[in-house]
Amino acid sequence: MSVVRSPFGQYPDGREIDLYTITNKMGMQAAVTNLGAALVRAAYPDREGRMADVVLGFDRGEDYLNNPSFLGVVIGPNANRTAGASFCLDGITYRLDVNDGANNLHSHKENGWHKRLWKGVAGDDSVTFTLEDSHGSLGFPGNRKVSVTYSLDDENALKIHYHGISDCRTILNMTNHSYFNLEGHDSGGIENHRLWLAASAYTPADAGSIPTGEIAGVKGTPMDFTAEKKIGAEIGADFEQLIFAGGYDHNWVIDGWDGTLRHFAALKAPGTGRIMDVYTTLPGVQFYSGNFIDRQSGKAGAVYEVRSGLCLETQYFPDSANKPEFPEDIFGDGKEYDSVTVYRFGIV
């Protein structure tokens, strides 16, 4: 196992952007950067032994500053959408950036944690990124200290451990926004990938992708992945939720959530034999089929566009701050935020 630090560009204020590459004894590589605490690379072989990078991203750190699709980055302090770009906590109304219709998406598109330069420290098989943010920053209360640790083991499991504290109650709901394509980041669409989700319910949303508050069963709908199926099988169905979102871009409710690490997803690329099993301690996952990826240049001259990759963003449910019926994402004042998500890569 090794961790190698290398230059990856320069932040606008002159500070260096770093890339950390973790390599295990199986030859798998995971590369992460202190800009946005982003996952830049995850490379491992297919059933024929051919190596490929399965994460969409960029060759230069500076390109993560112009990243409209949030490729690879950690979103914070609050991932996903907040209705009306505001929430009330302990009798105080907090107003966020209005950046997605009338709502807020991913805290702030220009100044969110995904565009901050984190402090990185390498371990034997891991990299820990830390960040501090002040009370009122981006509209959120609390002086916050957060960390994100990536670690890779010799069984090709990439673990992301998130931790956060605040001196007063606040929202903390971080996620990783990596786009995966198990055929290779430069191989085109993901519609032929096969997906299983241990989620018998999801949270329907309105035309602005704000959850209605309902928790609806997936049985008998195109939202049902409780039996493995091809992602493209029903993505174009005449179903209101899919029409609203241009495909899949919804929060699924993970069955049996109790805060322990649970296996909730399996993704397969039949053409290569690559698989990815996903585990989390969190109650929800945003499965996003890349419906609105802007056409852009990616790593090694690749061109990314609609459905070039898919996201499995573990999370507290969208708009939880305004939906008391959802699991609470309020932390601080002695209650620490702590979550783990694991992406385990393999072949069949």
Side-chain angles (χ1 to χ4, degrees):
M1 188 74 70
S2 66
V3 181
V4 177
R5 175 175 167 264
S6 57
F8 197 49
Q10 190 173 73
Y11 204 61
D13 63 7
R15 287 179 292 167
E16 289 186 2
I17 303 171
D18 297 320
L19 186 72
Y20 298 84
T21 302
I22 312 171
T23 305
N24 69 10
K25 70 178 184 182
M26 304 296 290
M28 180 176 174
Q29 287 191 339
V32 293
T33 177
N34 58 332
L35 179 47
L39 176 62
V40 174
R41 176 180 171 84
Y44 73 109
D46 66 8
R47 65 164 73 96
E48 306 297 331
R50 294 170 298 202
M51 202 77 164
D53 181 1
V54 300
V55 172
L56 277 61
F58 304 107
D59 290 323
R60 305 183 320 135
E62 291 91 341
D63 291 333
Y64 284 89
L65 291 168
N66 180 24
N67 183 11
S69 298
F70 302 92
L71 304 185
V73 293
V74 165
I75 304 295
N78 182 48
N80 220 305
R81 291 174 173 85
T82 302
S86 67
F87 63 94
C88 184
L89 178 60
D90 299 330
I92 300 173
T93 297
Y94 295 92
R95 303 200 180 278
L96 311 178
D97 190 47
V98 180
N99 62 13
D100 189 59
N103 307 311
N104 174 266
L105 174 64
H106 295 332
S107 302
H108 199 291
K109 290 183 180 179
E110 296 305 320
N111 301 317
W113 292 354
H114 66 289
K115 290 195 175 178
R116 304 279 182 91
L117 199 63
W118 298 55
K119 179 181 178 181
V121 176
D124 293 336
D125 62 356
S126 65
V127 181
T128 296
F129 297 115
T130 57
L131 183 73
E132 296 186 16
D133 211 2
S134 59
H135 179 78
S137 173
L138 308 181
F140 294 89
N143 294 298
R144 289 144 290 161
K145 297 180 179 180
V146 297
S147 65
V148 177
T149 298
Y150 290 91
S151 58
L152 179 66
D153 69 18
D154 285 325
E155 281 70 52
N156 289 357
L158 180 65
K159 180 170 77 171
I160 311 177
H161 178 200
Y162 305 84
H163 186 78
I165 59 174
S166 172
D167 62 0
C168 69
R169 280 164 39 94
T170 189
I171 293 175
L172 280 174
N173 182 23
M174 293 183 282
T175 196
N176 179 276
H177 209 295
S178 287
Y179 291 77
F180 297 97
N181 187 322
L182 300 187
E183 302 282 352
H185 76 97
D186 55 354
S187 63
I190 47 77
E191 290 91 341
N192 287 328
H193 282 52
R194 300 184 66 85
L195 178 66
W196 165 82
L197 294 174
S200 53
Y202 75 108
T203 54
D206 63 20
S209 294
I210 298 295
T212 64
E214 178 188 6
I215 294 178
V218 300
K219 187 176 181 180
T221 77
M223 314 302 281
D224 190 354
F225 287 89
T226 56
E228 176 193 299
K229 72 178 179 184
K230 189 166 72 170
I231 288 171
E234 297 180 282
I235 200 168
D238 186 15
F239 185 71
E240 184 178 64
Q241 289 295 305
L242 296 178
I243 294 169
F244 280 165
Y248 296 108
D249 188 13
H250 299 79
N251 172 70
W252 270 258
V253 178
I254 295 172
D255 289 340
W257 174 67
D258 59 3
T260 62
L261 191 67
R262 304 184 72 85
H263 180 211
F264 74 90
L267 182 68
K268 297 180 181 178
T272 63
R274 291 193 186 91
I275 60 174
M276 184 178 76
D277 290 295
V278 195
Y279 307 74
T280 193
T281 60
L282 291 167
V285 59
Q286 190 85 7
F287 164 41
Y288 173 45
S289 53
N291 314 315
F292 299 104
I293 298 176
D294 294 331
R295 183 178 174 86
Q296 60 196 282
S297 296
K299 289 179 286 192
V303 176
Y304 304 143
E305 51 193 346
V306 171
R307 297 186 185 147
S308 289
L310 63 90
C311 302
L312 292 167
E313 305 160 62
T314 55
Q315 62 183 2
Y316 285 91
F317 302 171
D319 201 35
S320 287
N322 294 312
K323 300 285 193 303
E325 62 271 36
F326 287 173
E328 185 180 83
D329 61 353
I330 305 300
F331 297 90
D333 193 23
K335 182 182 179 183
E336 299 185 1
Y337 173 89
D338 199 83
S339 76
V340 171
T341 294
V342 177
Y343 298 97
R344 185 184 295 276
F345 301 92
I347 52 174
V348 291

